[in-house]
Amino acid sequence: MPSRYLSFRCSVPWLLLLLQTLFLIRSFFGVPGADDIYSPSNFYSEFQDVNHMVIFGFGFFLMVLRRYGFSSTGFNFLLIVLGVQCSVLVEDCLVFLRAQQNEIGLKSLAKALVSMTAVVISTGAVLGKANPVQLIVMTVVELFFFYVSRCINRTFLQVPEHLALMHVHLFGAYFGLAVTSRFPEAPPGLDKSRSSPKSELFSMLGTVFVWVFWPSFNSILAVSKRKAVLNTYLALAVSAVAAFMLSALTSKDGKFRMTHIHSAVLAGGVAVSYTAHSIQHPWIAMILGLLGAVITILGSHCLQRCFNRALKLQDISGVHFTFGLPAVLGAVAAVVLCVVEKGIAKQWNDLSSLGYLIFVDVGAFCQTICTALITGLITGLILNIKLLKAVHVSKYFDDQFYWEFPHLSVGF
């Protein structure tokens, strides 16, 4: 039996036991949250929507590799249920430094689940390369740094809690790109790195799950929930139509490409994540959905052919053009809408106040990207130390290294 397999078999259960024990101790000395008393009656249904989206949606969304289906869904589920608990622990550590008491309630679990979206997105960038130990370490480290980034935005830049959480797409995409840049690149033309009709079908199924539940994701912590749901749905609908249209126009034979569809249909939800609660006119959300689909499909061509090759990046699930670029578009749109709204309200008399608002918004987005890139590079270096037993390039994108296959006797 290979020594690396023995290391996985020994280290993964003990690491999981340690983290689970820490959360049990924290729950024993903690208090139940009082926020459930003040939660609206339909908050649990929204929480369930986000839960379905993150577990079912992203679990199947990551099934893009023909021989990595077990790991895509299984590891995604493990990281989510473990990461939600770790997110509460990380928040406890930083709250303890401020001499405050943190409670466990439905809203705290909702914030932890939303925060886990950043980890799921980052996992898509290193899909098939990182072993379970590396993924668990990456989850804990990323949640810590994402919470630090949220604290900086909230404390120094006065960003509301809901908007600080909506940076998950921006942080997760660029953190994952920075991490995957530290992993050895798989040889070109590797058969295991390709997709199959079955894996593409399951990935599209996950896309549909994410698409359906995305309005709840954008509105679960928003003040104006109805407005957030309406604007998110319209943006998603327009981005879906634009995805099919642009996919047919950009292909040589006029046929639809599944890669375009399961990436670009989600662009509208990412693009309006910062402004869904504040957009007054639905046509603005529809324009953002259209632009999100355009930037996703065009970005998939340019990034994969030029940018990724130049930087030697292997973005397996395309998280850069699926989540990163639409999030940047949403950040720019948030600044523009802020300028227009505040400018009209103040009639351009107090330019210093308007300039401060612009500086705060731009600073929050730049801080998020810089923190994600710097901490992602550091995390990538940590994950490749000998202690964590990095997977050899020949073992990339293969379930057989981690899962039992009783049917291997008849072929795989």
Side-chain angles (χ1 to χ4, degrees):
M1 186 176 293
S3 59
R4 287 184 176 176
Y5 178 79
L6 286 173
S7 66
F8 297 148
R9 184 178 179 181
C10 297
S11 56
V12 172
W14 286 109
L15 183 58
L16 293 175
L17 179 61
L18 173 63
L19 294 174
Q20 193 64 62
T21 303
L22 290 175
F23 186 75
L24 286 173
I25 295 174
R26 181 258 177 266
S27 302
F28 179 78
F29 290 102
V31 294
D35 55 3
D36 296 339
I37 301 175
Y38 306 101
S39 298
S41 58
N42 63 338
F43 187 81
Y44 177 72
S45 62
E46 296 176 349
F47 174 80
Q48 281 292 75
D49 288 348
V50 176
N51 203 24
H52 291 153
M53 170 186 166
V54 176
I55 294 179
F56 285 107
F58 282 107
F60 286 108
F61 177 82
L62 295 176
M63 286 188 63
V64 293
L65 301 175
R66 58 187 298 267
R67 298 183 62 173
Y68 206 68
F70 282 25
S71 301
S72 298
T73 54
F75 292 162
N76 177 74
F77 180 70
L78 171 64
L79 295 180
I80 289 171
V81 295
L82 181 67
V84 168
Q85 302 175 57
C86 291
S87 180
V88 176
L89 285 175
V90 169
E91 193 163 354
D92 278 347
C93 293
L94 296 178
V95 168
F96 175 76
L97 296 177
R98 294 182 291 177
Q100 297 177 359
Q101 189 176 28
N102 190 31
E103 299 174 341
I104 296 181
L106 197 57
K107 282 191 176 180
S108 62
L109 289 181
K111 290 190 290 184
L113 193 59
V114 172
S115 300
M116 267 306 300
T117 309
V119 178
V120 174
I121 293 173
S122 300
T123 303
V126 297
L127 191 67
K129 295 183 176 181
N131 61 49
V133 179
Q134 291 173 314
L135 289 175
I136 293 172
V137 173
M138 187 187 79
T139 299
V140 177
V141 174
E142 183 173 2
L143 286 173
F144 175 80
F145 286 128
F146 178 60
Y147 191 85
V148 170
S149 176
R150 283 170 50 199
C151 286
I152 294 174
N153 286 336
R154 289 172 55 195
T155 305
F156 299 101
L157 300 177
Q158 302 299 315
V159 178
E161 174 69 14
H162 168 65
L163 294 182
L165 273 171
M166 287 298 104
H167 285 82
V168 289
H169 315 107
L170 204 62
F171 192 94
Y174 288 100
F175 185 93
L177 289 175
V179 171
T180 193
S181 67
R182 299 298 91 197
F183 280 79
E185 188 177 1
L190 186 65
D191 183 66
K192 292 184 293 184
S193 64
R194 299 173 183 173
S195 61
S196 66
K198 183 183 293 186
S199 65
E200 290 283 1
L201 179 61
F202 277 114
S203 181
M204 187 60 196
L205 176 63
T207 301
V208 173
F209 266 100
V210 175
W211 193 96
V212 168
F213 294 118
W214 204 295
S216 295
F217 182 86
N218 281 356
S219 64
I220 187 170
L221 296 173
V223 177
S224 180
K225 293 182 179 294
R226 292 184 178 180
K227 191 182 297 183
V229 170
L230 174 64
N231 290 325
T232 302
Y233 188 88
L234 291 176
L236 285 168
V238 173
S239 66
V241 174
F244 281 92
M245 179 183 65
L246 294 172
S247 180
L249 291 176
T250 54
S251 61
K252 295 181 180 179
D253 50 6
K255 295 182 179 180
F256 303 118
R257 294 184 181 180
M258 190 62 78
T259 304
H260 291 164
I261 303 304
H262 79 70
S263 297
V265 297
L266 302 176
V270 180
V272 299
S273 58
Y274 302 110
T275 54
H277 67 289
S278 61
I279 292 179
Q280 300 295 331
H281 306 286
W283 60 268
I284 298 177
M286 298 170 72
I287 291 178
L288 283 177
L290 175 63
L291 294 177
V294 171
I295 198 174
T296 297
I297 292 181
L298 296 182
S300 65
H301 285 284
C302 300
L303 293 175
Q304 289 183 331
R305 295 180 181 180
C306 305
F307 183 80
N308 288 356
R309 291 183 180 179
L311 296 180
K312 296 182 178 181
L313 289 177
Q314 266 192 326
D315 186 5
I316 306 301
S317 299
V319 298
H320 194 185
F321 52 82
T322 305
F323 300 99
L325 291 182
V328 173
L329 171 66
V332 174
V335 174
V336 172
L337 291 176
C338 176
V339 171
V340 174
E341 179 184 353
K342 300 299 181 182
I344 293 176
K346 295 178 179 297
Q347 298 180 352
W348 300 99
N349 291 329
D350 192 357
L351 294 180
S352 60
S353 177
L354 184 62
Y356 175 76
L357 292 174
I358 297 173
F359 170 78
V360 168
D361 288 340
V362 174
F365 297 124
C366 292
Q367 183 275 136
T368 302
I369 294 178
C370 292
T371 303
L373 290 174
I374 295 173
T375 57
L377 289 173
I378 296 173
T379 305
L381 294 174
I382 294 174
L383 296 183
N384 282 279
I385 62 177
K386 293 182 178 180
L387 181 63
L388 297 181
K389 301 290 184 180
V391 180
H392 191 267
V393 176
S394 62
K395 300 296 183 181
Y396 280 179
F397 320 124
D398 200 337
D399 278 332
Q400 296 184 56
F401 200 49
Y402 310 106
W403 299 86
E404 245 185 75
F405 285 90
H407 58 283
L408 280 183
S409 56
V410 296
F412 176 67

